[in-house]
Amino acid sequence: MELFFLLLLVVIMAGALASGFPVAFALPGSAIITIGLAALTGEIFAGDAAAYFAQGGPVNWLTAGVTNFRGVYWEVERDTLIAIPLFVFMGIMLQRSKIAEDLLVSMAQLFGPIRGGLGISVVFVGALLAATTGIVGATVVAMGLISLPAMLRNNYSHSLATGTIAASGTLGQIIPPSIVLIILADQLSSAVDQAGMARTAYFKETTGEFTMPSSFGVSSTSAGDMFMGALLPGLVLVGLYMAYILIVAFFKPSVAPSVPFEGKYDRRFAGRVLLSLVPPLTLIFVVLGSIITGIATVNQAGAIGAVGAMVMAGYRLYEGRKGAFYPAILAMGSLLTILIINNVNPINIRNIQTTADMVSVVIAIAAVAVFLVGIVWSGIRTFKIDDTLRGVMVETAKTSALVFIILLGAAMLTSAFRAFGGEELVREFLTGLPGGFWAQFIIVMAVIFVLGFFLDFIEIAVVVVPIVAPILLADPSANITAVWLGVMIGMNIQTSFLTPPFGFALFYLRGVAPSAVKTLSMYKGVVPFISLQLFALFIVGIAPQLVNYLPNRMSLTSESSPPPKNPRLQVCVEEYIQSAFAEQGDTLRSVIAGAKGWDLSNLPKSVQNDLGKSFAAAEAVFPALDKAVAASEAIDAAAVDYRPLHVSVRALQRDIAKHEEEIKELEQRVNRWKRQNDAKPGSIDKAIAKIETLKSEKAELESEVPANWEPDHKAFSKVLATEKKARLSYRRTADSAYEPIQVLRATLRDADALAALSGEIDSISKALKDLAPKEAEDFIKDVESKIGRVYEAGAIRSALSKVRRALRGKTPDPEKALEELAAARAIYDEEVSWREVANQSLSAKLADYDAAIRNTIGLRLQDRFPHDVALDVAACQSSHKDISLHF
């Protein structure tokens, strides 16, 4: 019965959508109707409202619905959705204020004289509008009204003209900032959690180990990562569009002829082009740049974009009048003032210490006030002129409300789909496909592509992604990143705007195109661009670095970058060090050999021993890394024969586990029927027969496991263990080679600070004589605290604590305190003495030695990656690595 209600759910939803019922109500409505019918049927025929649910019942579904409602509107973790209305506002404001129109006209005049130039200008402007608006309908309509008449007037092919405009308008779906990327990031965040739990459970099941290494975890994503990941694929798509138009124009000049510019390419024309081009480019740079550099979150960048669009609209709507640019000049001038002031003297209101600090804060406050004046002035203009601001706000509210209602409705539909076992059916179907992950992925992408013929991008993103994404992300054989999966789905969803019969870009263009342009010509025109989108999808599929590199680079070069010791980065760090050793190995060995000849006689014995061990470990690093690399190569060699066996046996074991689970469920059902005596006639016998059949099938599956599985699996596990041991050995060796150097350098850097505390130590003697024991104890504690802030001064602090303890209790002993103070003073003098000598004799040598090994042997113990190393590691991390043999 669960399958019946699952089918009913799909039929009701499809019927509602096909009949034109609003999506925002079709999704939750079909879920509510199906859940209600299933609960009512179960109550009537089985006496249990949850009888026909595969998971839980109507109460569980209602609870899930409430949870989803709270998740969309109240959970702080999902605050990324706030960016949606901000970017929608930004896009509609730029479209309503005719800035997009100016850009299109200027680019058409600039590129027109080139064969195919009008088409190139449409693609170029489409890309710019995508990066500033992201609103497909507005972009297609604007370009259709402005460019299509010009293209037709200059004898462009109807199909090429309409195809170019429709396809360029859809770039807003993949070039950031994009609403679909924000929605996908939101959906994938929960999918990553589910996939992570599934992969962890699978690891425990297959290896028997309690914890899975964090390096095998599923990588998460965010809206910022999605924006960065989609940037290069979006540019690839733009390049393909332009290349196609140029090639067509070259071989068929009559299809896309050149259009000579009737005016002059003079200073006035250049000024017009710059005025239409520079502000949008500046807005793109500020919005995306603030995200890339980590200055702003996606929400904050959305607010920047919304304010920037309103300032731009303020001068465009006032064009031709005196003082049109005054608000924009005030806003930009105040921002530049703040940037200059902050660079000259960083602004920190909480830490005003000098007159310069006070002057900087006052100027910054004045600049902020001027900036607010510019924004308010621009807002008043957009409000008064053509009621632009009100219209933009209304459209933003409508669009945002539609998106959020669909999100809630889709969450209700997904919960119903899971309640009837739909997710498990999808998982069984995908995991049962021959060909592993890539077969699953291609099937999913094909389904999304076909759904694009009938559904909008939001429905696909919020209905399909929560179901299939956890399954694909959990697969360790591909070990894909959530960013890559999101961008691939986003690019696939983009085709939904072009694919007939419900391609929305075609509808938008049809509404503004003249009657001379036939609908069939529009359909023919988009076919090559759909093919180019699929080709771009293929390129990004085989080159995941196009997606993963920028997010990795942003992460590893940011102020909050993970440290080089992060477990997920170790393999890539070691690959970098291996290549560095190949280039610098002889030099490093020479530096280490020279350090072993240093005169360390003036250092304490413990420090001498630590340095001696450090130099020995530094020499041992090279063979240790060679051993780790050899162990990895041994895995690759052994995997050639072992991998097919591993894949086939794990597939059999998954089938066996499914049979065991089904047998267990049937046995529990039979026991419940016997205990409650409420089974229908013949139900128990049928269930027992089914159990016997499943046990027979399970035994048959078990017999198919090759006899050599156990010995071969154990042998390969030993190879994996050897590699793991070799990697850990290298890492311990490298750390022990560098840590004493790091400690000694920090110790010597604090030598002057320690010497400066001599008076504090001397003042303790006076405190012991002049103060009461309790007051003296507090005084010593304060000195201890100051000593504790000095690196490697623990021995002195411990000695002072003995002085303080002598004053405790009912019978303080000042004499013993003085004795302990003398011992502490001797320790202090000894520590200060050897540090001063070491500073003179070793400080420079240590600095040179540290500089030589810091970015190789000592890389793991650095606070963050050097810039060039971060780029190398980011490139390494951008490839997907198969980790299935560890499971």
Side-chain angles (χ1 to χ4, degrees), residues 237-260:
L237 204 52
V238 171
L240 289 175
Y241 287 176
M242 289 184 173
Y244 168 72
I245 294 170
L246 288 174
I247 291 171
V248 169
F250 179 79
F251 287 103
K252 292 184 178 181
S254 61
V255 172
S258 59
V259 182

Side-chain angles (χ1 to χ4, degrees), residues 520-537:
L520 185 60
S521 297
M522 296 172 62
Y523 286 172
K524 287 181 180 179
V526 297
V527 169
F529 291 95
I530 294 173
S531 302
L532 290 174
Q533 287 179 338
L534 295 178
F535 182 56
L537 202 61

Side-chain angles (χ1 to χ4, degrees), residues 34-212:
T34 311
I35 290 287
L37 288 174
L40 182 62
T41 306
E43 187 67 38
I44 293 174
F45 294 101
D48 181 8
Y52 300 134
F53 288 79
Q55 298 178 13
V59 175
N60 302 73
W61 175 83
L62 184 62
T63 302
V66 172
T67 302
N68 284 321
F69 183 85
R70 292 178 64 242
V72 171
Y73 283 101
W74 282 294
E75 283 186 12
V76 177
E77 289 81 1
R78 299 185 70 178
D79 67 340
T80 300
L81 295 175
I82 297 172
I84 291 177
L86 294 172
F87 284 120
V88 170
F89 177 93
M90 170 177 147
I92 298 175
M93 179 62 77
L94 291 175
Q95 189 267 330
R96 289 285 187 94
S97 61
K98 305 289 182 67
I99 290 175
E101 180 179 331
D102 294 344
L103 184 60
L104 202 52
V105 170
S106 297
M107 292 302 103
Q109 292 173 346
L110 186 63
F111 291 110
I114 304 171
R115 189 183 297 173
L118 275 182
I120 295 295
S121 68
V122 169
V123 175
F124 180 77
V125 173
L128 288 180
L129 294 182
T132 52
T133 68
I135 309 297
V136 171
T139 304
V140 172
V141 169
M143 292 196 297
L145 288 171
I146 303 163
S147 293
L148 185 57
M151 296 174 85
L152 298 179
R153 192 166 53 248
N154 289 282
N155 299 318
Y156 263 66
S157 162
H158 288 195
S159 58
L160 179 62
T162 53
T164 301
I165 292 172
S168 301
T170 65
L171 289 171
Q173 293 304 289
I174 196 63
I175 294 180
S178 163
I179 295 174
V180 71
L181 294 178
I182 296 174
I183 294 174
L184 284 171
D186 178 69
Q187 298 297 314
L188 285 169
S189 63
S190 58
V192 166
D193 294 337
Q194 296 176 47
M197 290 187 290
R199 186 180 287 187
T200 302
Y202 182 50
F203 183 82
K204 291 179 182 178
E205 178 186 337
T206 54
T207 65
E209 296 183 23
F210 185 71
T211 57
M212 183 180 73

